[in-house]
Amino acid sequence: MIDQSLQHKWQAGFLPCIDGIVFGDGKVIVANTYTIKNHETKEQKYYWSALCDSSLQSFETYNDDLWVSVDIYKGEIAYKDQTIVFGDGSMGHEGFVASVNQYNQLNWAIFFTFTNPIMSAKIENHTLVCLSEIDMVISIDLHDLTRIKINN
């Protein structure tokens, strides 16, 4: 069932500021994100993994400032019966990718609090490959959205 509150927020240009996947029915898969920095080389490696299931309702119970405005960039991708869009969050260091149906209803969105804006995306086989403003490459398995790899 569609979460009407989420759909209204999406139509108004908002997503929840949660590292994870939000589905159109309000289900949330929370992500565990972390960075490992090599102090000798100054290189950083970013990691993303599914942590647990939750819901928007649960998040809204404990966080009254959950929503962040998002901007969709040019370059949407048609894929099967959906359109994939991408862009940034209003804080500047965030990025997102989302799938919408023909009526612009949100199927799912993946929000990242550390990638900076997602500037472009393409599909290779069944993998969505996104490039962020800081040249971070995010690969998302479209058959299993929880399988995300990040390279920089």
Side-chain angles (χ1 to χ4, degrees):
M1 179 183 255
I2 297 283
D3 182 315
Q4 293 300 328
S5 175
L6 169 61
Q7 296 300 330
H8 290 307
K9 289 285 193 180
W10 170 252
Q11 296 297 325
F14 291 89
L15 280 174
C17 187
I18 301 168
D19 274 309
I21 306 168
V22 177
F23 294 92
D25 63 0
K27 176 183 170 188
V28 176
I29 298 175
V30 180
N32 178 31
T33 61
Y34 60 96
T35 307
I36 295 178
K37 184 175 183 177
N38 182 325
H39 293 285
E40 293 176 11
T41 64
K42 305 298 184 209
E43 292 179 356
Q44 296 185 81
K45 178 76 177 149
Y46 295 86
Y47 295 90
W48 189 107
S49 62
L51 180 62
C52 66
D53 293 333
S54 189
S55 68
L56 279 177
Q57 182 179 8
S58 179
F59 273 92
E60 288 177 322
T61 299
Y62 299 102
N63 185 347
D64 61 355
D65 191 23
L66 180 65
W67 301 92
V68 63
S69 64
V70 295
D71 293 311
I72 296 173
Y73 291 6
K74 292 182 182 178
E76 65 186 31
I77 301 169
Y79 178 72
K80 296 187 177 180
D81 60 347
Q82 58 191 313
T83 300
I84 296 177
V85 297
F86 49 86
D88 70 355
S90 62
M91 300 297 223
H93 60 276
E94 307 140 332
F96 79 93
V97 60
S99 164
V100 297
N101 67 18
Q102 65 185 2
Y103 306 108
N104 197 34
Q105 290 179 316
L106 189 68
N107 296 319
W108 54 262
I110 305 173
F111 195 84
F112 303 95
T113 59
F114 58 88
T115 61
N116 282 25
I118 304 296
M119 303 300 291
S120 65
K122 63 183 176 180
I123 296 176
E124 296 177 352
N125 297 318
H126 59 85
T127 301
L128 178 63
V129 180
C130 305
L131 180 64
S132 82
E133 184 179 59
I134 55 174
D135 294 328
M136 189 176 288
V137 178
I138 303 154
S139 300
I140 303 165
D141 184 334
L142 292 171
H143 292 157
D144 180 356
L145 296 175
T146 65
R147 295 183 58 180
I148 296 176
K149 293 180 182 173
I150 301 172
N151 296 306
N152 53 323

